[in-house]
Amino acid sequence: MEVIKKVSPFLYLVAFYVSISFILRIILFFHPITQASFTWIDTLNLFIFGFLSDFFVFVLVSGFLWLYLILISNTKYFKPYGYIIFGLLVALLLYVSFGNTILNEYGSALPKIATAFISIKAILFGLLLFLPKYRNQIRYWLFSFVIFLYVVLILQNGISEYFFWNEFGVKYNFIAVNYLVYTNEVIGNIMQSYPVIPLFSALFICAGLVTYFIVKKSKNYIESIPSFVQKIKISGIYLLFFALSLLAIPALSTKENSQNMFANELQANGLYKFYVAFMKSELDYFKFYRTVPNSEAFAQLKQQISSISGESTWRKIKNEAPENHKNVVLITIESYSAEFMKMYGNEKNITPFLDSLATKSLVFTNLYAVGNRTVRGLEAVTLCFPPTPGESVIKRKDNKNKFSTGTLFKQKGYTVKFMYGGDSFFDNMGDFFSGNGYEIVDKKTFEPNEITFANIWGVCDEDMYNKAIKEMNKEAAANKPFFNHIMTVSNHRPFTYPNGKIDIPGDAKSRDGGVKYTDYSLKKFFEMAKRQPWFTNTVFVIIADHCASSAGKTELPADKYRIPAMIYSPELVEPRKYTNLMSQIDIMPTVFGLLNFDYQSKFFGQNVLKPDYKPRALIATYQDLGLIKDNVLTIISPKKTVKQFRLTLKPNQKVASDFQIFYDQIPLTKERTDLVNETISYYQTASDMLKKKKYQKIN
């Protein structure tokens, strides 16, 4: 009985959480958007299984509460332990504040967050250590704050689930995960759409009243701190329920098997749905976006890619000239906006080498990245495939044995490698590329003497290129053509690189410095490459993975997707500008065309040098899917919404007409139905092929 009293904070909070969840289910059950009739079995299941899911989910999320309560004691403040612990906290604070930690390497707000957290911890510990007379009062207010925090989060989650249902008619899915990525935009939307001040005022008042009740009923925990034996018993009970919850929650989710989709959603626990969405990284196109019959979607796609037939993108690519098995080196540059380059109007001279190389290359002046994350860029140049709702294919479970550029090169007898200066475990790159036939060369493969500089993201670009040259020399010695895909890392926050290389110090953590060092490293790479016997027999493809920033005034600001791209091969490609609109997914099919490859293709990307290519570009976030064509941007979004904007050039008199980037995006007054249908055709067919596993490699 004494132990039961000691777990009263858990009992009251779990009772509050399941009560809020129960009330929320009733509200959503009768919500106007819940347009379904429920059988008595569906109704019984959604409340019984829903209650069990809520209980077990709270057991897991109360882990922080358990840890906080178990660590409450007086003994740690006794001499000399209290002074030792306090000294260690102060030392840690000084180290994080003034030392060069891994947090400083990453940059951004992490060092400030860590400093603030450790400062608060040290101050509170110091107060409890040096003010023993006030220890009980301080502990009481800390206990009240922890309970208040849990109550606020429970209420906040309930309100969030209601508004999410109000908008989408489901519990949390990948859109909710996406909202965490676009925090600024989401907060701005909430501020404009809802009465935030009255809503949060009511929330905090309710949270205060509930906290007062729970603290009053459970404050005996801190007034009479459990003994060590009692804490062992409490921990034993909690850990037992924790283990049971880990088994029960997935099992209960399998009970969401009604033919009534609303019943399944109401039965589900929102927090667990959020977790699943985060891990699964997918958003069902056919549930949330405007669709047409699949046959119509593929028929529409055939108007853009004339050689496909049926409900597939399979087709034969045939060239009249003999195949040319030159080596291919694809370099995707981290966060490299077109506007960094002089030819696009930049006056800072931070890309002198790339500007020079562009004059000797086939330059694609009007190319758009498909997304705003590295994995989207890698997906585009590897799978030549439109971005689909949710996360990139690279980060999904079903990411192996796809039809890819690596697959095609292997069929042609090439050695295929992915080279990355960081740990390829990041963003699931290693799993994806190795699962699609690439050999991985990443930081783990470097010898200590091959690393001259590294930060949180990996070795500097110079070290990566030095390693790449060594690998290519080995490959050339084997008398096999090679395809090497190199992903750079230096142009990424914290923008640190070796000092003494360029006129911007490497420890200045400057974006311009990151860009200029990236350009400098490229120059060094080409200087080394030109001295190798395989150089003249190699095609170099240089393209950014995405722009440096994606924020703008609209859902898809076109200028935030414009990236540089070029193909350099003096023996194969004459320098010129290709000015037609094109997508990142087209770059490698164009390379295959220059090499006169004959092959069976599933690529959505096309050889833009062919006369039947119809200019267009695909750009997207995790949920907004866009098509640029005829100076119109069409965006399809969840809730089956469509927006269209006329792209009106904002001319820069200092920039040549082929390199203009900035446009006003003016809403169309009359819908271009043809462009809406074309947009749907790209994204619906891509989603269909992934869902039905029709984009696997051809054996």
Side-chain angles (χ1 to χ4, degrees), residues 36 135 183 194 259 309 331 414 515 606-607:
R135 191 173 293 161
T183 308
Y194 300 107
Q259 296 299 312
S309 61
I331 302 174
Y414 281 66
V515 172
Q606 301 169 64
N607 179 358

Side-chain angles (χ1 to χ4, degrees), residues 375-475:
V375 286
R376 281 300 190 196
L378 295 178
E379 174 189 72
V381 297
T382 303
L383 302 182
C384 309
F385 188 82
T388 47
E391 188 56 273
S392 162
V393 172
I394 291 175
K395 298 186 75 171
R396 299 183 189 181
K397 289 183 178 179
D398 181 24
N399 66 358
K400 297 175 178 61
N401 298 314
K402 300 299 181 188
F403 185 78
S404 69
T405 56
T407 299
L408 184 52
F409 277 117
K410 277 206 159 186
Q411 290 174 354
K412 299 297 181 180
Y414 281 66
T415 299
V416 175
K417 290 181 180 177
F418 174 68
M419 300 181 177
Y420 180 56
D423 188 338
S424 61
F425 176 80
F426 178 74
D427 265 347
N428 212 41
M429 288 186 279
D431 181 65
F432 170 75
F433 282 104
S434 62
N436 285 283
Y438 289 69
E439 181 183 339
I440 306 295
V441 177
D442 67 357
K443 186 179 178 181
K444 295 189 295 294
T445 68
F446 281 63
E447 297 295 331
N449 62 356
E450 293 178 318
I451 301 175
T452 64
F453 181 91
N455 63 17
I456 187 65
W457 289 108
V459 304
C460 63
D461 285 356
E462 284 179 276
D463 290 345
M464 180 67 256
Y465 289 136
N466 288 334
K467 181 76 169 179
I469 293 290
K470 291 180 181 178
E471 293 292 326
M472 293 176 203
N473 286 338
K474 292 178 187 175
E475 292 165 331

Side-chain angles (χ1 to χ4, degrees), residues 319-376:
N319 288 281
E320 295 181 1
E323 291 190 0
N324 190 343
H325 288 191
K326 284 183 175 290
N327 307 311
V328 177
V329 176
L330 167 63
I331 302 174
T332 44
I333 307 177
E334 173 69 48
S335 305
Y336 219 73
S337 304
E339 60 183 307
F340 290 152
M341 296 187 66
K342 185 177 181 179
M343 61 186 183
Y344 287 98
N346 193 296
E347 298 179 349
K348 297 180 180 179
N349 193 33
I350 53 177
T351 61
F353 174 73
L354 209 54
D355 283 318
S356 172
L357 191 68
T359 63
K360 307 166 188 173
S361 305
L362 169 56
V363 179
F364 301 98
T365 69
N366 200 8
L367 186 147
Y368 286 81
V370 300
N372 45 34
R373 287 288 310 280
T374 295
V375 286
R376 281 300 190 196

Side-chain angles (χ1 to χ4, degrees), residues 272-312:
Y272 182 65
K273 289 274 287 185
F274 184 92
Y275 166 78
V276 171
F278 181 82
M279 298 303 293
K280 194 175 181 183
S281 304
E282 295 180 37
L283 183 63
D284 190 342
Y285 177 92
F286 297 91
K287 187 173 184 179
F288 292 100
Y289 293 81
R290 190 183 293 190
T291 60
V292 297
N294 257 6
S295 57
E296 291 183 22
F298 279 97
Q300 174 70 43
L301 187 65
K302 183 175 173 60
Q303 295 181 27
Q304 317 308 319
I305 311 174
S306 59
S307 53
I308 67 172
S309 61
E311 294 188 7
S312 171

